[in-house]
């Protein structure tokens, strides 16, 4: 794996400072690994992620996937916190249990204006996929 | 507008009891209106929805859209809380300011197994759309 | 309806000249109406659109929807034939019979770089929708 | 790679008989390889696939991706020609030149009712991806 533009601990420090609504201890999100072109995030299980059926809400899973592409982008092109999602598509494959989730992201396009990532989300400790997502980010032009 | 299977106040009562992680006063989500085939939800602005750029996070907007299809489904076919999202697609059209968001949902398919909804999200008090979303729910078979 | 930048007959003339692979009598595609912000296309039934099950192939329906956004774009911002699709999402709602299809397109974003359209496809003479699609086009920068 | 339920030559024979609108010599589509859980298709370059900009039309690329999931499904669960697409999402990554395209499909869910595939499309002889697609098929219930 090629070295990232920003390492996991540096990214965590920057995100905690700039985006504390999501990157705080309370949210349960953490960067397991980051490299040029991809990353792995973990979403620790939280009671507040529950939905009827003793499973994790789709909103939690979508957010995890979207943040995975954001982290892979920042880890690949450097600190561009104003990059924003322009579109996202997700297929839910199987209802997860009440456990941690892992998101494995691979960028399939790294352009000057657009970055597109693909993410497979699965239960920690399991092989079976929970959801598959693609998401496009737009990078604001440099002034 | 055709009368819903469940009115807004009844739906709010049931959701608050069964899905308190999302349907609580704290979340800022509320049902403005519901009818057979659609609904309107409001997401009150919350500091915790902020993301870099003084705008509302994509995760907040996606969740709002997804819940709008869930409420329209429940309001149209009755209380099926175990219905789950099978796929979702969203296009972000414009970054919203730090204001309430409104989600207008119309169901485009009401089948026995699948319900598909289309949602336009905009800033409260404004006409310009913020995001457009389609989402498919699967209804569990009756035993 | 606001007047288009290019009227239907002018658009048909230009498309037939520049994009004859699709805009020929043989293809069965035609512009029923175009206005600023939208259009209606017709896909005449063709035997070559059939697929197993005596229905029209998904590929035919997707192409119709994608071309509808292209025509609405050209009719709204003028002749930009090098505009290209960057993403497309479609939900198939019901299998059509062996009949003409109509595509009603409304643009939901008309930006300088991106145009996003939403399309409902239905059988000619029927109300029930066959498919719903959103598609994003990128407009090449002017030199 | 695990053996498919139907080998490439058998699939080609069946598809040519049942779906001649697409699976004929004229269309330029062929099965390069099929295994349990995936396949590779080739779309030979055809003049009729051209669009303005000396590139291949999005409709051609979408159709190739959709057929790849169909072939992977048939190769994995056996002859179910009435399986139909229920949704499809595609991101176009780069405009291809006037060359053959290859579609590599991997199924990410093989359920009783739904099959979901992911497809990367690239130019034959090149590594750079042209488009990435996910598509869901519904399998009709056995009577």
């Amino acid at each position: 794996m090629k070295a990232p533009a920003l390492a996991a601990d540096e990214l965590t420090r920057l995100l905690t400072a700039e985006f504390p609504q999501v990157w705080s201890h309370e949210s349960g999100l953490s960067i397991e690994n980051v490299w040029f072109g991809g990353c792995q995030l973990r979403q620790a299980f939280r009671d507040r992620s529950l939905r009827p059926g003793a499973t994790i809400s789709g909103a939690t899973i979508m957010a995890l996937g979207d943040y995975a592409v954001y982290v892979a982008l920042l880890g690949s092109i450097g600190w561009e916190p104003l990059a924003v999602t322009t579109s996202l598509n997700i297929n839910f494959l199987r209802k997860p249990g009440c456990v941690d989730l892992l998101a494995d992201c691979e960028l399939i396009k790294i352009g000057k204006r657009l970055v597109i990532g693909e993410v497979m989300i699965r239960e920690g400790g399991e092989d079976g996929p929970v959801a598959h997502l693609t998401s496009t980010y737009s990078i604001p032009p440099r002034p």
Side-chain angles (χ1 to χ4, degrees), chain A:
Chain A
M1 291 186 301
K2 207 172 146 191
L6 286 167
D9 54 355
E10 180 67 1
L11 267 174
T12 300
R13 196 183 61 75
L14 288 164
L15 286 165
T16 305
E18 294 275 331
F19 200 168
Q21 294 82 4
V22 166
W23 297 92
S24 68
H25 180 70
E26 195 194 340
S27 72
L29 261 183
S30 58
I31 303 173
E32 295 274 304
N33 202 353
V34 62
W35 58 91
F36 183 86
C39 72
Q40 185 183 65
L41 297 193
R42 175 182 294 269
Q43 172 67 65
F45 178 71
R46 290 290 190 266
D47 279 349
R48 68 182 191 196
S49 299
L50 278 170
R51 57 146 288 161
T55 188
I56 295 174
S57 71
T60 302
I61 297 170
M62 290 191 285
L64 171 60
D66 191 39
Y67 292 132
V69 181
Y70 189 60
V71 167
L73 177 157
L74 298 173
S76 300
I77 66 169
W79 187 241
E80 290 278 3
L82 298 184
V84 290
T85 312
T86 57
S87 67
L88 180 145
N89 185 257
I90 187 166
N91 287 290
F92 293 92
L93 307 174
R94 186 170 64 81
K95 282 187 277 186
C98 298
V99 297
D100 287 11
L101 296 177
L102 290 174
D104 289 288
C105 173
E106 201 176 332
L107 300 183
I108 57 179
K109 175 173 178 154
I110 304 177
K112 280 176 200 160
R113 293 187 347 191
L114 293 178
V115 168
I116 306 181
E118 179 195 346
V119 184
M120 188 67 92
I121 293 171
R122 57 193 168 86
E123 296 184 358
E126 298 288 330
D127 276 346
V130 161
H132 179 270
L133 169 151
T134 51
S135 175
T136 300
Y137 273 78
S138 171
I139 304 163
R142 287 273 170 75

